[in-house]
Amino acid sequence: MMGRFFGGVHPDYNKDLSRGKPIETMPVPGRLVVYLSQNLGAPSKAVVKKGDAVLKGQVIAESGGFVSTPVHAPVSGVVAAIDTFPHPVGTDLPAIVIEPDGNDRWADGCDVERDVDALSSAEIRDLVHDGGLVGMGGATFPTHVKLSPPPEKPIDVLVLNGAECEPYLSADHRMMVEHAEEILDGAALFARVIEVGRVIVGIEKNKPDAIAAMRERAAGREGFEVAALDVVYPQGAEKQLIFAVTGRRVPAGGLPMDVGVLVQNVATCRAAREAVRFNRPLIERVLTVTGRAIAEPKNLLVRVGTPFEDIVAFCGGMSGETGKIISGGPMMGVSQYSLAAAVTKGTSGIVLLRRDEVAQFVSDACIRCGRCVEACPMRLDPSTLSILVERMRFDDAGETGVNDCMECGCCAYVCPSRRPLVQHFRRAKAELRAKARKAG
Amino acid sequence: MLTAILALAAVALALSFVLAIAARVFAVDVDPRAEKIEEALPGANCGACGLPGCSELARRIAEGKADIDACPVGGAAVARAIAAIMGQDFAGGGVRRVAMVMCNGGDESARRRFWYNGVRDCNSAALLFGGDKSCAYGCLGLGTCAGVCPFGAIDMTGAGLAVVDPARCTGCTKCVDACPKGIIRMVPADRTIHILCSSHDKGAKTRKVCAVGCIGCMKCVKAAPEGAIAMDRNLAVVDYEAEIPPEIAGECPMKTIHVRKLDGLADLDAAAGGER
Ligand code: SF4
Ligand code: SF4
Ligand code: SF4
Ligand code: SF4
């Protein structure tokens, strides 16, 4: 039951720059900036103070609520400071700064293999929480929360997201080529927690080697299959992916569990294997450093907290004049004004564009051409929405569905008037959130 | 032809009776005082009183459900006129309050951290790293406040600063609510000493990002009469109840203290040139 979702666009993929590069491990930098906000939801609460010695894998911040996760020391060393730093999402946020001691020593109990077959599903879920797992595709939603659906929403399919539809990025692609077995091992753990027999891996057709590697490993596993998906952005968006692999439609404002599906990113699956089977919490991730303004594009395994500056230096520095630095992919990522930010659990890539690649434009009035309506995968009317926002009619924008916007950027990509549509919708959502907060 | 005209005339006559009856049956008693009060109100329909418009406020005042000085825009003069209509006394008055943008870090004093190419609106710009201004507390200069001011009282300087003209400002506070940086304060119109900075950063950091920011050195606090200037988290704040001599401006090493002249608007015009 394969479907093609409504809307979407075909941007230049530019994945050739990095997709052939095997994952390289980056050495630990001289200083790590570990944000307390590593997940969507409540930020974590620091449990260490300046001057404390910490070991790799030790909890340095506890969950700040149910929709929150603990944060672990990515390296052994000393807490040098707790202060605010520019976070890649676009605000200054508190972080724990760790100076490594050079030993890279694990805390007691970490890095020890467990007998996973003896674990109950509740125990696995707790280990997923304790390991600090979040959605590593970029959304950083705490994984244990996704694994706790209410009883009235039974789940029968686990979908692994290997679409990686964002232009330029290739980290998940390399992960599937090089670590297929580990991804599926982690997925099997998730399948056990939510008691599903069917696991479908969705991968865009432009990654034939990843499809082959995953098919080969999935063959031996009962109920596992790999679906090759059309190449169209945003194929990897949750609702669009679910429709493509199962034909089920998640209602507006609904969640995947409303149609019996759980989606997990492939990198998250591998992290689950590490955390549950080996008691290695989430302290490192693979990301893509790419774009024509970086000397040597790479797929890198880096510690959480590694400053962008060190990563760019490790990739040979910038080449030519850099016009834009983006954390994440060019469609949904956030422009950075400096390299001061550091890697979070959700940093899927750093894209550096040359000045001549960055279009400079002025936006115009909406000409009501309707292209954005055709492109919007959420079936919204970005044209009307943007005009409402310009007139500061935020309530009307809310009623017209602005909160369903996933900020995929398809509308802005096709708009001939170059209207800053996504920024308008972010603003409207922020205003509506502030209003809801005020109303209590 | 003739029948058609007669028929229409008959219909018109019948309808006019219906209307005449309806006018009596559905008549609404309008308090004549409400009409007079509405005439006395500024008629800007700005909403600063919290009601949909001037006529609604007029109705409520006439019914005794709103105070006679409920219009912040009209001030004491309008309140006095309404008091006369209502046959009440109005003793209040006092000094008019006007808005003031507590930032003097224009482009020549504070830097832009990056090149912003998005929606020309302060609230939208503030979504990305709080805006492009080097100082986290500084005026972004995209004029959202000027856009919401119903009285056109806010000018944008060439240096990217919003400046309120106290002569045109009615004190409706709309701009205060609109500014994402929260740097617009209501101040008594007759005060001359103002500290034009909102930064709670430590002095060393402020000095790095702005040439005219308050660095918290406390020189003004010591030179001013006891309690007239107080420190609030690295920022000197004027107590507008106190009298402060204009010489205080000379004490500030950062030239953050502004002496506003009350005669005419010459100093504000000079601000457009960048020095105030
Ligand atoms: S950014 Fe929002 S409105 Fe625009 S295409 Fe995507 S979902 Fe639709
Ligand atoms: S694509 Fe742009 S110009 Fe066309 S209708 Fe949408 S917002 Fe308006
Ligand atoms: S005072 Fe506030 S709203 Fe007005 S221009 Fe400055 S930042 Fe924008
Ligand atoms: S400057 Fe501010 S307080 Fe004064 S009239 Fe304009 S919006 Fe109202």
Side-chain angles (χ1 to χ4, degrees):
Chain A
M1 195 41 215
M2 301 271 276
R4 158 75 162 84
F5 64 85
F6 176 90
V9 293
H10 295 274
D12 284 342
Y13 270 73
N14 282 304
K15 292 191 187 250
D16 286 338
L17 291 169
S18 61
R19 76 165 123 214
K21 305 269 179 77
I23 298 169
E24 221 176 296
T25 304
M26 180 175 157
V28 176
R31 198 183 70 131
L32 292 93
V33 178
V34 188
Y35 301 101
L36 295 176
S37 293
Q38 294 282 354
N39 57 257
L40 205 78
S44 314
K45 286 197 216 85
V47 293
V48 291
K49 53 185 192 318
K50 193 175 164 182
D52 283 1
V54 292
L55 290 171
K56 178 156 83 157
Q58 176 186 332
V59 173
I60 52 175
E62 283 172 348
S63 287
F66 176 60
V67 187
S68 184
T69 52
V71 178
H72 306 81
V75 68
S76 65
V78 177
V79 177
I82 301 182
D83 203 351
T84 57
F85 286 87
H87 190 291
V89 297
T91 44
D92 289 357
L93 288 172
I96 300 172
V97 180
I98 299 180
E99 268 165 19
D101 57 14
N103 303 327
D104 208 13
R105 233 181 75 220
W106 281 103
D108 284 347
C110 287
D111 197 28
V112 179
E113 184 159 4
R114 261 198 204 96
D115 176 12
V116 290
D117 296 330
L119 296 171
S120 72
S121 48
E123 283 169 334
I124 297 178
R125 187 169 43 230
D126 288 348
L127 289 172
V128 164
H129 165 267
D130 298 346
L133 259 68
V134 301
M136 292 169 77
T140 67
F141 191 76
T143 307
H144 68 277
V145 181
K146 273 192 169 185
L147 292 176
S148 321
E152 70 276 11
K153 306 254 182 206
I155 287 175
D156 62 353
V157 186
L158 169 63
V159 174
L160 299 201
N161 192 348
E164 202 168 52
C165 59
E166 264 280 356
Y168 284 93
L169 305 187
S170 59
D172 287 352
H173 180 172
R174 291 310 310 176
M175 177 94 74
M176 289 187 285
V177 171
E178 297 176 37
H179 301 287
E181 180 62 31
E182 293 155 39
I183 293 168
L184 296 177
D185 188 42
L189 291 170
F190 286 146
R192 258 176 66 198
V193 176
I194 49 166
E195 295 169 10
V196 301
R198 199 156 160 236
V199 181
I200 314 174
V201 193
I203 309 173
E204 276 192 346
K205 280 180 194 148
N206 59 1
K207 308 177 199 31
D209 48 347
I211 295 174
M214 294 294 279
R215 280 221 167 112
E216 190 192 324
R217 297 296 175 159
R221 289 174 184 265
E222 172 88 28
F224 280 61
E225 61 193 275
V226 175
L229 310 174
D230 286 342
V231 181
V232 51
Y233 177 87
Q235 187 63 270
E238 224 168 38
K239 292 180 181 181
Q240 282 61 34
L241 179 70
I242 290 170
F243 182 65
V245 301
T246 68
R248 300 179 194 175
R249 280 181 210 281
V250 181
L255 292 170
M257 65 178 169
D258 294 327
V259 294
V261 179
L262 172 72
V263 180
Q264 291 291 355
N265 169 271
V266 287
T268 316
C269 293
R270 177 159 183 251
R273 168 191 151 101
E274 294 285 302
V276 177
R277 198 182 274 282
F278 298 104
N279 203 9
R280 291 195 284 253
L282 177 42
I283 57 166
E284 58 185 14
R285 68 158 296 140
V286 177
L287 53 78
T288 305
V289 190
T290 183
R292 291 185 179 80
I294 189 89
E296 208 185 321
K298 285 177 194 281
N299 295 296
L300 281 181
L301 177 67
V302 305
R303 299 287 164 94
V304 168
T306 305
F308 285 11
E309 213 175 335
D310 297 71
I311 293 176
V312 167
F314 184 71
C315 294
M318 298 190 210
S319 65
E321 205 185 346
T322 306
K324 205 168 224 178
I325 303 163
I326 305 162
S327 166
M331 295 298 284
M332 289 193 71
V334 179
S335 292
Q336 307 290 308
Y337 68 86
S338 75
L339 289 170
V343 170
T344 71
K345 293 175 184 178
T347 310
S348 49
I350 305 173
V351 181
L352 292 96
L353 302 177
R354 271 203 324 250
R355 175 141 261 166
D356 55 307
E357 291 180 287
V358 181
Q360 326 264 311
F361 49 75
V362 271
S363 58
D364 268 317
C366 172
I367 55 167
R368 288 284 194 180
C369 65
R371 287 188 214 181
C372 55
V373 181
E374 257 168 59
C376 175
M378 302 306 284
R379 294 178 181 253
L380 296 170
D381 175 355
S383 152
T384 301
L385 281 173
S386 64
I387 292 167
L388 288 173
V389 175
E390 277 173 339
R391 297 187 184 154
M392 302 219 271
R393 285 165 58 186
F394 301 115
D395 289 331
D396 292 334
E399 268 161 40
T400 316
V402 76
N403 280 320
D404 282 334
C405 167
M406 57 174 164
E407 301 173 18
C408 67
C410 290
C411 52
Y413 181 79
V414 296
C415 176
S417 283
R418 307 283 197 184
R419 288 167 63 72
L421 299 168
V422 183
Q423 197 188 8
H424 278 317
F425 305 152
R426 278 194 188 154
R427 158 107 197 264
K429 285 157 113 184
E431 297 277 349
L432 290 170
R433 267 198 308 274
K435 209 173 154 194
R437 242 197 326 268
K438 243 190 231 157
Chain B
M1 184 66 189
L2 190 67
T3 33
I5 291 170
L6 285 177
L8 278 179
V11 170
L13 194 67
L15 284 178
S16 69
F17 279 116
V18 174
L19 281 179
I21 294 162
R24 273 174 199 273
V25 175
F26 299 113
V28 182
D29 284 330
V30 178
D31 189 330
R33 290 181 306 177
E35 279 176 4
K36 278 197 197 137
I37 293 172
E38 189 175 345
E39 272 165 35
L41 287 171
N45 289 317
C46 68
C49 54
L51 296 171
C54 296
S55 64
E56 178 65 15
L57 178 63
R59 195 174 64 78
R60 297 223 185 169
I61 295 176
E63 288 172 2
K65 288 184 190 150
D67 294 335
I68 51 172
D69 58 351
C71 170
V73 173
V78 168
R80 231 169 275 124
I82 296 173
I85 296 166
M86 296 290 287
Q88 293 177 14
D89 284 336
F90 179 71
V95 180
R96 201 158 71 83
R97 295 180 85 79
V98 294
M100 187 151 205
V101 178
M102 294 296 178
C103 172
N104 200 19
D107 286 337
E108 72 290 335
S109 316
R111 281 177 298 110
R112 301 267 167 192
R113 296 188 292 177
F114 53 88
W115 180 66
Y116 173 73
N117 182 27
V119 181
R120 310 301 292 169
D121 166 85
C122 302
N123 283 282
S124 302
L127 291 178
L128 195 65
F129 295 102
D132 58 356
K133 196 87 169 202
S134 53
C135 168
Y137 301 88
C139 171
L140 299 179
L142 295 173
T144 297
C145 51
V148 301
C149 176
F151 306 95
I154 305 183
D155 299 312
M156 301 307 297
T157 72
L161 271 185
V163 180
V164 180
D165 174 356
R168 282 177 276 159
C169 174
T170 63
C172 75
T173 73
K174 284 206 153 188
C175 55
V176 176
D177 298 335
C179 174
K181 293 278 157 184
I183 56 173
I184 308 185
R185 252 184 94 179
M186 300 306 293
V187 303
D190 66 343
R191 299 284 95 171
T192 53
I193 303 297
H194 302 280
I195 298 184
L196 294 181
C197 178
S198 300
S199 172
H200 293 293
D201 279 338
K202 292 208 181 89
K205 188 165 180 192
T206 307
R207 205 189 272 278
K208 258 189 232 156
V209 297
C210 178
V212 293
C214 168
I215 53 168
C217 67
M218 296 184 59
K219 287 212 170 100
C220 59
V221 176
K222 287 177 200 134
E226 180 84 37
I229 300 180
M231 291 305 293
D232 172 22
R233 289 169 295 141
N234 308 310
L235 175 66
V237 180
V238 171
D239 174 0
Y240 286 114
E241 301 289 311
E243 290 296 335
I244 307 173
E247 290 72 41
I248 195 83
E251 298 291 329
C252 176
M254 301 298 286
K255 304 271 169 284
T256 314
I257 305 181
H258 165 63
V259 183
R260 177 184 252 175
K261 294 186 195 74
L262 294 177
D263 50 9
L265 305 169
D267 53 337
L268 289 161
D269 294 339
E275 37 157 311
R276 189 157 61 164

